[in-house]
Amino acid sequence: MFIKGLAFGFILAATVGPMWVLCFRRTLASGALAGFVSGMGIAVADGLYGAVAAFGLTAVSGFLLEHRFWIGLVGAGFLIYLGVKALLARPAEMNSEKAEATGLVKAFLSTLGLTLTNPPTILAFAAIFAGLGLVSSADYVTAGWIVLGVFVGSAAWWIILAVAAGRLRGRVGPALTRAINVVSGVSILGFAAWQLVELARGSLL
C-alpha cells in the first residue's frame, strides 16, 4: 500500500499543472531551496487531501466540497495574480532573488494554500484510491501507510524538479529568461481561466 501510494503521489506531482510551472520558475528565480520548499507545500497539501480520502473524513470533505466555489474562486484569483506577476517580471529579477527565510515561508504557504483551494481534488483522490485498491481495507494503519506514500512520492518529485531546475539557474540569459516569464505567466493564467470555467460550470449544475 505504501508503494502504491508513493507511485500515485509521484505521478500526481509530475503531472504538468500550475504548481509545476510555479515551482519551476521559482527555482530559476530564487534557487533550488525555494523550489524545494514550494514543492513541500504541495506535498503536504497532497498528503492532507490523501488523508481525507483514505481515512474517510466525510465531515471535512463535505465542508470543503460544499464551499468549493468560494474556495476555488480564491485560488483562481491568486493564480491570476501570480500569472500577471510572472508576465511583468523583468529578466534582471531572475537569478538575483535570494531565498530568504521569510520568502521561504511565503513560498511554502502559497503553494500549500493554492493546492488546498481545489476541493474537488478530494473526489479525484477517492476515485483513484478505489480504482487502485488503496481503500480496500478500513484499517487505519493501512490508510496511514497510503497517506505517507502519497506524501513521500509527491515530495520525491519536487526534489527532482528543484535540483534539475536549480542546475539551470545562472545559465539562463535575458532573452530566455523573458521567454520563461511569458510562458509561465500565460500558462498560469490559462490554468486560472480553466478553474474559473469549471467553477462556473459547477455552479450551474
Side-chain angles (χ1 to χ4, degrees), residues 8 12 45-66 68 71 115-130 135:
F8 173 64
L12 178 69
D46 286 342
L48 291 174
Y49 271 162
V52 171
F55 288 98
L57 304 178
T58 55
V60 176
S61 61
F63 173 82
L64 292 174
L65 291 174
E66 182 181 354
R68 63 183 179 274
I71 297 175
T115 308
L116 290 177
T117 52
N118 189 22
T121 302
I122 296 176
L123 297 179
F125 268 99
I128 296 175
F129 278 12
V135 291

Side-chain angles (χ1 to χ4, degrees), residues 72-187:
L73 192 62
V74 171
F78 193 41
L79 282 177
I80 292 174
Y81 163 75
L82 292 175
V84 172
K85 183 179 179 181
L87 284 174
L88 298 179
R90 299 178 180 178
E93 294 177 7
M94 297 281 279
N95 301 325
S96 62
E97 298 179 13
K98 296 182 179 180
E100 298 178 353
T102 54
L104 293 177
V105 172
K106 290 180 180 179
F108 175 85
L109 293 178
S110 64
T111 52
L112 173 65
L114 277 171
T115 308
L116 290 177
T117 52
N118 189 22
T121 302
I122 296 176
L123 297 179
F125 268 99
I128 296 175
F129 278 12
L132 295 176
L134 296 179
V135 291
S136 58
S137 172
D139 183 6
Y140 284 155
V141 174
T142 301
W145 280 113
I146 294 171
V147 174
L148 180 61
V150 169
F151 171 76
V152 173
S154 180
W157 166 255
W158 298 117
I159 291 173
I160 292 173
L161 179 67
V163 172
R167 291 181 179 275
L168 296 176
R169 190 170 185 249
R171 303 177 185 178
V172 180
L176 183 55
T177 296
R178 180 56 186 162
I180 291 174
N181 286 338
V182 171
V183 172
S184 297
V186 171
S187 299

